[in-house]
Amino acid sequence: MRILVIGATGTIGSAVAGALSDASHEVIGASRGGGPGGRIRADLEDPSSLDTLFELAGDLDAVVCCAANGPLVDLGSVTDEEMAAGTRGKLLGQVALAGRAARHLRDGGSITLTGGTFSAPLPGGSLGALINSGLEGFVRNAASELPRGLRLNLISPGWITETLRSLGMDDTAGTSVAEVAQAYVRTVEGTARGRTFRP
């Protein structure tokens, strides 16, 4: 398959791109900064960059987005504008990406987005909870609306072992990035639609 991976320079994205390449897929990398190695520029907060992205990427069988992140906010002091801005990339940006991917993918193609999940409330995590719940609802419903046998799913990885370790935190509650990457591979290669997977 010919697969576009957005966020291909991040911790998860680089592992996903590597795992898909190891599984004999052709991977086209994209990142916010573009850069060397054939990566195309793609910014979830800039819809025009997504239009250009699909023009440059050519024919595709799958799109995987690993570029999504959301800020931690203090609910007591965050402004309406900060809340709206916080949803722009991870939630609205991925929704915009899915809509464009649905118009450009080959029949039977796959779209995989990235959410997040945590086993307990996270200080400053109310915006993230809003975004992640919104993504799950969007994927569950939008998957049934897609034409031409297209599939839409969500990976919700939670804490990554390597990220916790780099922050000097206890990494025993995390999932290794290699294990998370394999969840993306299974989703791209599988038949599921409208599902949220928590590796």
Side-chain angles (χ1 to χ4, degrees):
M1 284 190 276
R2 197 161 186 271
I3 303 171
L4 173 64
V5 176
I6 299 166
T9 58
T11 300
I12 294 176
S14 58
V16 170
L20 289 166
S21 294
D22 290 347
S24 300
H25 298 294
E26 179 186 355
V27 174
I28 299 95
S31 66
R32 180 178 289 177
R39 289 190 302 274
I40 304 169
R41 181 183 175 276
D43 185 347
L44 293 176
E45 296 188 21
D46 177 7
S48 66
S49 78
L50 301 180
D51 294 325
T52 303
L53 169 68
F54 283 103
E55 289 173 13
L56 295 174
D59 292 336
L60 297 167
D61 299 293
V63 172
V64 176
C65 184
C66 304
N69 57 39
L72 295 176
V73 299
D74 176 3
L75 190 58
S77 61
V78 67
T79 66
D80 294 339
E81 291 77 18
E82 288 168 333
M83 286 291 276
T87 65
R88 195 169 296 128
K90 186 171 183 178
L91 178 59
L92 300 179
Q94 288 194 97
V95 168
L97 174 69
R100 285 163 173 79
R103 295 191 292 272
H104 287 88
L105 284 172
R106 293 176 176 137
D107 291 359
S110 168
I111 305 163
T112 306
L113 306 180
T114 296
T117 187
F118 300 96
S119 58
L122 178 68
S126 56
L127 176 59
L130 168 68
I131 291 168
N132 294 325
S133 297
L135 281 168
E136 289 192 28
F138 169 74
V139 165
R140 186 169 51 249
N141 196 85
S144 66
E145 301 176 17
L146 292 177
R148 302 183 292 107
L150 298 174
R151 298 182 302 106
L152 173 64
N153 292 289
L154 181 72
I155 301 290
S156 189
W159 286 113
I160 303 297
T161 302
E162 290 80 356
T163 301
L164 289 171
R165 194 174 298 145
S166 72
L167 295 171
M169 299 169 66
D170 178 11
D171 64 8
T172 56
T175 306
S176 75
V177 73
E179 186 176 339
V180 170
Q182 287 305 314
Y184 283 86
V185 174
R186 289 191 297 272
T187 303
V188 168
E189 295 179 338
T191 60
R193 65 184 68 236
R195 298 273 309 278
T196 296
F197 294 97
R198 294 178 173 84

